[in-house]
Amino acid sequence: LFRGPSSRLHRRMVIDEPVALQIAGGHDPRRGPGLFSISAISATSLDAVVSAYFEELERLAAEPPSAAELVRAHNQLRAAWLFAQESSLAMAMSLGRAMVFYGSPDWDEHYLDTMASITAEDVQRVVSQGFSPDQRVELRVLPGGEGSRADS
């Protein structure tokens, strides 16, 4: 959804319908429920950014990602994982995360195969079930202006 200028959200929200100057986001995995977030610098209004984001999630729930989108996502995950293995610290963090979150030091060895096995239908199912309106939390952070309180 977020990675690079060819991603669904970047194309829609920054290029095609420029409601945002910049977007970022993704999944922050934890043991138990994780967090999927978006952050954006609005070009118009926050309402326009939020609407475009939720519309894109609804579209993904209705229309699975294309084969090309899945290949691109798998390639991006593979590249990110490989680059993350370049330092001793990153490898230690990965090992620690595998032990804490998944109870196995070998989890990382199977990560890429697990990610590569995800199908378009899997994505569609997870978006349909996990991104329903009753499971959303929306937090809007605005810059302080005249009359804003720093201690609130």
Side-chain angles (χ1 to χ4, degrees):
L1 282 174
F2 296 102
R3 291 195 177 173
S6 63
S7 69
R8 281 183 180 223
L9 285 173
H10 185 90
R11 254 191 347 260
R12 175 168 181 187
M13 296 171 67
V14 177
I15 298 170
D16 296 341
E17 303 169 24
V19 297
L21 300 173
Q22 177 181 342
I23 61 164
H27 181 245
D28 185 18
R30 299 281 182 240
R31 187 173 199 166
L35 175 67
F36 194 90
S37 64
I38 178 176
S39 63
I41 298 174
S42 176
T44 56
S45 73
L46 278 181
D47 288 333
V49 171
V50 170
S51 291
Y53 176 63
F54 289 146
E55 286 169 12
E56 204 56 39
L57 286 177
E58 290 167 7
R59 186 171 80 97
L60 190 56
E63 305 168 19
S66 68
E69 285 179 299
L70 278 180
V71 167
R72 188 169 49 248
H74 291 152
N75 287 343
Q76 288 172 343
L77 284 171
R78 180 178 299 280
W81 184 85
L82 290 170
F83 287 130
Q85 305 305 308
E86 290 185 343
S87 76
S88 298
L89 175 61
M91 291 171 67
M93 294 290 291
S94 184
L95 178 62
R97 185 175 42 253
M99 285 301 298
V100 170
F101 292 168
Y102 308 106
S104 169
D106 301 326
W107 181 85
D108 241 13
E109 293 179 19
H110 308 288
Y111 172 75
L112 292 177
D113 291 336
T114 301
M115 294 300 108
S117 71
I118 294 173
T119 66
E121 292 75 24
D122 292 333
V123 172
Q124 190 176 23
R125 177 181 43 78
V126 168
V127 170
S128 296
Q129 293 173 355
F131 292 90
S132 63
D134 63 329
Q135 295 187 34
R136 294 178 184 156
V137 175
E138 186 177 320
L139 172 66
R140 296 178 182 213
V141 179
L142 305 171
E146 193 171 314
S148 68
R149 290 181 39 183
D151 60 346
S152 58

